[in-house]
Amino acid sequence: MPQYQTWEEFSRAAEKLYLADPMKARVVLKYRHSDGSLCIKVTDDLVCLVYRTDQAQDVKKIEKFHSQLMRLMVAKESRSVAMETD
């Protein structure tokens, strides 16, 4: 399970993993209050990408990335539903 040290590497790899097979990709966010760390994990059961941080500025980056993934998920879903109804 590769744990990335830089946000840029992680976000590129995670987006690539999601776009390869959107139906299998999962995203997990985990916050540990005891040590103030936030962990984001993206997996498709074959590859698991992890990024951990305790920096406040990284939280905004993670939030933005997570919302981008959610928009991609909604856009693909709405297109497939539109195709089925035609």
Side-chain angles (χ1 to χ4, degrees), residues 7-61:
W7 172 252
E8 290 76 21
E9 289 177 2
F10 173 79
S11 63
R12 279 194 301 264
E15 187 173 358
K16 189 175 179 182
L17 182 68
Y18 172 76
L19 292 173
D21 192 359
M23 295 304 291
K24 288 188 177 180
R26 295 190 314 272
V27 180
V28 177
L29 289 170
K30 186 162 93 174
Y31 176 72
R32 290 185 50 182
H33 182 71
S34 62
D35 58 357
S37 69
L38 181 66
C39 174
I40 182 168
K41 180 168 76 167
V42 180
T43 184
D44 68 351
D45 292 333
L46 299 175
V47 178
C48 183
L49 310 173
V50 178
Y51 180 75
R52 295 180 201 276
T53 186
D54 58 357
Q55 302 297 312
Q57 67 258 19
D58 287 342
V59 174
K60 286 290 186 186
K61 293 177 187 176

